[in-house]
Amino acid sequence: MRNFIVRIYRYEKDNPQKIVGVVEEPEIEGKRAFINLDELWGILNPMSRGETILGNDDNPEQ
Amino acid sequence: MLKAIIAFGSKEVSDEQLTDALWPEADGDVASLSFRTTLHRLRQLIGQEGAIELKEGRITLSPLYCWVDAWAFQRLEEKSEELWKDYRTNHRIKSDTAGIPELIKAYENAVDIYRGEFLPGDHKLSWTISMRERLKSKFIRLIGRLASYYEQGGQWERVVECHERALEVDDLQEEFYRRLMLAFHKIGKNAEALATYERCRKILSLVLGTEPSPETEALRNKIRNSK
């Protein structure tokens, strides 16, 4: 079983799609950022889309 | 084992929960033997048989023999929460400040005892996550409230200390940068306030890939224009 910590730092009451935060996976070093619900879903379900590592310049999601 | 007992709350932790956490690959008999052997060794190490009670398959770390900083923090946090609720219920008039010194003292005691993450060297152990995150979130809430009371009292140097500490624990909380900027501005340290804005902008850009919020930008402009 994989464990995730989801930290939400920004959200818009009128637009639930728009949330900003990071996902941490304690077993793995590093964080992955998301800027909307789809990206969060993509991180939590890596099979649904390509994974990107946060903090790297080659992160196409940022 | 001692870490796991504390991570699971220290009171009536089931032997099953501990064996699952500590020997996840071991089958029943091997896990049970490992559990009993480790418990025996731990009791020997502590040197007090009564320090770890085992009753009907449940383990309790006795407060008569043990002091744990995580417990102390949680007790102080509960006390400050009770005082805060009591204050909110009984002192609805803003000018009524009776009780605030006691509340501030309770917050100060609680935040002072928090010395950083719970078991920081054990991030990869999944059973440490819950306690670590719970304590961290309590600390963030407490220090934010403590800073608010200092802000109300105009104790800006203390506001600075609070928010610097809060940012050490979570450096992505934009609100803390903003409140830190304001505190620096209030004590005439505009250069530090603007440096805090830069710090905020860089970390948000690097980690979240976002810009500071309009609120933070507005505060930055206000400080810059006040020079």
Side-chain angles (χ1 to χ4, degrees), chain B residues 85-130:
Chain B
K85 282 176 189 159
D86 179 60
Y87 180 77
R88 299 260 297 182
T89 310
N90 300 319
H91 302 266
R92 292 201 175 275
I93 306 164
K94 207 176 177 184
S95 58
D96 183 357
T97 54
I100 284 192
E102 190 188 1
L103 187 56
I104 289 177
K105 191 70 201 158
Y107 280 132
E108 286 172 343
N109 289 340
V111 300
D112 278 353
I113 211 162
Y114 185 87
R115 294 279 174 230
E117 286 193 329
F118 177 70
L119 301 179
D122 295 303
H123 268 251
K124 292 187 177 179
L125 299 173
S126 60
W127 46 266
T128 63
I129 299 169
S130 175

Side-chain angles (χ1 to χ4, degrees), chain B residues 168-186:
Chain B
E168 278 170 24
V169 173
D170 189 344
D171 63 359
L172 291 173
Q173 298 263 3
E174 190 177 354
E175 186 194 341
F176 288 140
Y177 287 103
R178 208 162 42 236
R179 290 167 71 181
L180 182 56
M181 286 165 67
L182 183 63
F184 276 134
H185 174 60
K186 290 282 184 183

Side-chain angles (χ1 to χ4, degrees), chain B residues 129-144:
Chain B
I129 299 169
S130 175
M131 179 65 85
R132 180 179 303 114
E133 291 303 314
R134 203 159 55 236
L135 295 175
K136 179 176 170 177
S137 134
K138 284 177 178 189
F139 173 77
I140 292 280
R141 190 176 62 240
L142 284 177
I143 204 152

